[in-house]
Every structure is written in C-alpha cells, then in structure tokens.
Amino acid sequence: MSHNSYELFFITEPALAPENLTALQDRIGSILTANNGEVEGIDDWGVRRLAYQINRLDEGRYMLVNFKCEPATLAELKKQLGYMQDVVRFMLIRKGD
C-alpha cells in the first residue's frame, strides 16, 4: 500500500505540563510507527485564544503533526486520539500531492 501525507491538528489544555505534552507527542508518534507510519515533523504553535469555548476553556495549545501513513492507519489514530484526555479537539487532513 502507498503512504499518503497527512496533517494532524490538535488542541490541548493551555496549562498542560511540558512533560505531559512530550508524552502525548511520543504516544502519537508510537501509534504511527507501530502501524508503519512516519512522523515528518511536529510544530508547536503555542497557546492561542479559541474561537469559541470548548470544555470551559478560552485558550488552548495548538499543535500540528505532519506524517505519512497508510489510509488504514487513520482509523486507529482517530480511535486512540478519542481516548486521550489531554486532547481537547483534533482534525486530520490529507495533504494534496
């Protein structure tokens, strides 16, 4: 199967401790590598004001992960992200070729 390029955009609580943020990034990376995916880069956009309140939060830490994986891996990633309490919202986007 071919690997497609994707972006994972997610928001965490703004007060998330640095070690918890690192653990979250490692967990996402390990889910991808365990399913033959490859993390190309992780960007921390910092804490920003949310457009609307989510779970009583006015701000959130915005993160962007660029990765490659097989389309079948996305289902597992979505499932695992749903279980992560530190992830307030997430969005997966397939990048155009």
Side-chain angles (χ1 to χ4, degrees), residues 18 32 37 43 47 53 57 63 67 75-76 78 80 85 92:
L32 290 169
D43 293 324
V47 176
Q53 238 184 25
L57 295 173
M63 301 292 297
F67 65 96
E76 179 63 21
K78 285 180 188 177
Q80 293 296 326
Q85 293 179 344
L92 285 162

Side-chain angles (χ1 to χ4, degrees), residues 10-13 16 20-21 24 83-88:
F10 67 94
I11 302 172
T12 67
E13 292 197 14
L16 189 64
N20 292 356
L21 186 60
L24 184 62
Y83 295 139
M84 296 179 190
Q85 293 179 344
D86 291 329
V87 175
V88 178

Side-chain angles (χ1 to χ4, degrees), residues 64-75:
L64 180 69
V65 180
N66 289 292
F67 65 96
K68 287 185 177 183
C69 72
E70 297 173 354
T73 303
L74 293 180

